[in-house]
């Protein structure tokens, strides 16, 4: 099972921010593919909901000093 979520990411100011978040998300168990776009402030994540959920992804981003919320 793979779910896909788009998150609004807040606080990214340079390209290193987005690649840093992308790297951390891609390291998580259960994350299949994470792409973070600085210009659109979007994080697109495909993940296995049996291993990790959207709240875990958001907490990870917040622990790095950014904020995120699900895109409606
Ligand atoms: Mo450059 Mo992005 O210091 O936090 S990595 S602004």
């Amino acid at each position: 099972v793979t779910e896909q979520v788009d998150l609004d990411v807040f606080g990214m100011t340079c390209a290193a921010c987005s690649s840093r978040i992308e790297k951390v998300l891609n390291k998580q168990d259960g994350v299949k593919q994470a792409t973070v776009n600085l210009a659109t402030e979007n994080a697109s994540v495909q993940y296995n909901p049996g291993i990790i959920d959207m709240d875990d992804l958001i907490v990870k981003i917040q622990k790095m000093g950014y904020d995120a919320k699900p895109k409606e």
Side-chain angles (χ1 to χ4, degrees), residues 7-12 21 36 40-43 61 66-69 71:
L7 302 173
D8 269 320
V9 182
F10 303 93
M12 298 189 294
I21 296 172
V36 179
T40 60
E41 302 190 294
N42 184 77
I61 293 171
Y66 307 95
D67 199 6
K69 69 169 203 271
K71 209 161 261 188

Side-chain angles (χ1 to χ4, degrees), residues 24-38:
V24 168
L25 293 178
N26 275 304
K27 258 190 357 209
Q28 306 308 310
D29 275 345
V31 171
K32 290 177 179 165
Q33 177 73 51
T35 311
V36 179
N37 185 302
L38 173 67

Side-chain angles (χ1 to χ4, degrees), residues 11-18 20 66:
M12 298 189 294
T13 51
C14 76
C17 297
S18 48
R20 206 156 71 88
Y66 307 95

